[in-house]
Amino acid sequence: MTAPLFTVLGASGYIGSRLVTNLCSLNNTVWAPARDDPSILNRPLGHLLYCVGLTGNFRSRPFDAIDAHITLLAQLLKYANFSSLLYLSSTRVYLGSERTDEDAPLTINLSDSSNLYNLTKLTGESLCHNSGRKNVRVARLSNVVGPGMDPASGNFIATLLSEARSGHVLLQSDPKSMKDYIHIDDVVNWLPRIALEGRANSYNVASGIQTTHEQWLQWITTATGCTQAIKSGAPLHQFQKINVDRLRREFRVEAKSISDWLNTPPNVTIK
């Protein structure tokens, strides 16, 4: 049987680059075009994994966020030759909503500038669902963690690790803050399966487990021996538990336990 062709857009990013490595290790045919490569609209793409996006810097680059999350996607949905397309969105879209299943009604506060990210991602999702193209799906990713995270990206855990290497961590949020975290190994294993086998049009790609900032802080200080402090008046950031019933039921998967990572022996070398 011929290995499927995967095209990964955003292959220079944290998730995209690791997707390429994992797909190649499984002997798939993988194309990772450079940014602005015009040939993506006139050659077969196979199974297209859309990993293009802005995260922590979207507030200072609003037009780039629109281009990344909407404009390029619209061109691909209109003109590209693909067998399937999987658009990477975010579980951030559940902020302010009472439920976190894929069919939950969503609430957006337009006066909050931070919601530009959510609005552009949801517009991209809507384009996917209403394009008329077959085999177009959405994966809403939770907070992805793993080796090699870049603190310049604004990733919370990457920032803590970077500070820990310098010897001192200052936690800028209430230790009781909590989020859902998913390991990069699970992400790169599950996304191709969703692209090839998914029966629904959207999936939460998350662990379904809440981890507190206090747990992360304890693990990092134990693992590195750094000192720690908590900023006075640090704000509390709490997000609802992400519903992963659809993913578990359809693909029979369980997330790699972040708690195992948190229980890593103190002499661990963090890379």
Side-chain angles (χ1 to χ4, degrees), residues 47-151:
H47 300 281
L48 176 57
L49 302 176
Y50 192 100
C51 306
V52 182
L54 294 180
T55 51
N57 53 358
F58 71 90
R59 293 176 183 84
S60 61
R61 298 170 58 191
F63 298 107
D64 290 335
I66 291 171
D67 287 341
H69 301 161
I70 302 171
T71 308
L72 176 58
L73 174 69
Q75 293 296 303
L76 291 163
L77 290 169
K78 286 174 67 176
Y79 303 117
N81 176 7
F82 56 77
S83 301
S84 73
L85 184 152
L86 182 61
Y87 176 73
L88 301 198
S89 185
S90 170
T91 57
R92 278 179 57 97
V93 301
Y94 294 116
L95 285 173
S97 299
E98 295 182 359
R99 291 166 28 203
T100 61
D101 58 279
E102 292 87 346
D103 300 320
L106 303 175
T107 301
I108 296 291
N109 179 1
L110 295 177
S111 64
D112 185 348
S113 62
S114 66
N115 276 323
L116 174 67
Y117 182 87
N118 294 14
L119 285 166
T120 55
K121 283 294 190 182
L122 286 173
T123 301
E125 290 191 22
S126 185
L127 280 171
C128 289
H129 298 325
N130 295 285
S131 67
R133 300 290 298 267
K134 295 181 179 179
N135 299 323
V136 177
R137 304 177 184 89
V138 170
R140 291 175 174 168
L141 270 64
S142 190
N143 301 276
V144 180
V145 293
M149 296 179 292
D150 181 6

Side-chain angles (χ1 to χ4, degrees), residues 91 183 214:
T91 57
H183 198 278
E214 183 175 23

Side-chain angles (χ1 to χ4, degrees), residues 47-263:
H47 300 281
L48 176 57
L49 302 176
Y50 192 100
C51 306
V52 182
L54 294 180
T55 51
N57 53 358
F58 71 90
R59 293 176 183 84
S60 61
R61 298 170 58 191
F63 298 107
D64 290 335
I66 291 171
D67 287 341
H69 301 161
I70 302 171
T71 308
L72 176 58
L73 174 69
Q75 293 296 303
L76 291 163
L77 290 169
K78 286 174 67 176
Y79 303 117
N81 176 7
F82 56 77
S83 301
S84 73
L85 184 152
L86 182 61
Y87 176 73
L88 301 198
S89 185
S90 170
T91 57
R92 278 179 57 97
V93 301
Y94 294 116
L95 285 173
S97 299
E98 295 182 359
R99 291 166 28 203
T100 61
D101 58 279
E102 292 87 346
D103 300 320
L106 303 175
T107 301
I108 296 291
N109 179 1
L110 295 177
S111 64
D112 185 348
S113 62
S114 66
N115 276 323
L116 174 67
Y117 182 87
N118 294 14
L119 285 166
T120 55
K121 283 294 190 182
L122 286 173
T123 301
E125 290 191 22
S126 185
L127 280 171
C128 289
H129 298 325
N130 295 285
S131 67
R133 300 290 298 267
K134 295 181 179 179
N135 299 323
V136 177
R137 304 177 184 89
V138 170
R140 291 175 174 168
L141 270 64
S142 190
N143 301 276
V144 180
V145 293
M149 296 179 292
D150 181 6
S153 68
N155 181 286
F156 167 67
I157 305 304
T159 300
L160 290 186
L161 289 172
S162 177
E163 291 182 4
R165 293 187 188 98
S166 68
H168 181 73
V169 170
L170 175 61
L171 187 63
Q172 305 274 353
S173 54
D174 189 302
K176 295 184 177 61
S177 299
M178 63 176 65
K179 295 180 182 178
D180 181 297
Y181 296 90
I182 182 76
H183 198 278
I184 185 63
D185 290 350
D186 290 332
V187 171
V188 299
N189 285 325
W190 296 350
L191 291 181
R193 291 190 61 189
I194 292 172
L196 293 171
E197 307 165 21
R199 298 195 297 267
N201 63 8
S202 61
Y203 295 87
N204 288 333
V205 179
S207 67
I209 300 170
Q210 300 285 73
T211 303
T212 67
H213 289 189
E214 183 175 23
Q215 288 175 286
W216 282 114
L217 188 62
Q218 288 177 348
W219 172 69
I220 289 170
T221 54
T222 300
T224 65
C226 69
T227 58
Q228 60 166 284
I230 300 169
K231 184 178 180 180
S232 177
L236 178 66
H237 301 295
Q238 288 188 318
F239 296 86
Q240 288 181 277
K241 183 178 179 180
I242 303 300
N243 186 312
V244 291
D245 290 347
R246 176 177 292 174
L247 187 75
R248 287 173 173 166
R249 183 173 59 250
E250 186 172 332
F251 293 97
R252 306 288 183 180
V253 295
E254 288 292 336
K256 183 176 183 178
S257 175
I258 297 299
S259 63
D260 288 345
W261 194 8
L262 293 172
N263 291 328

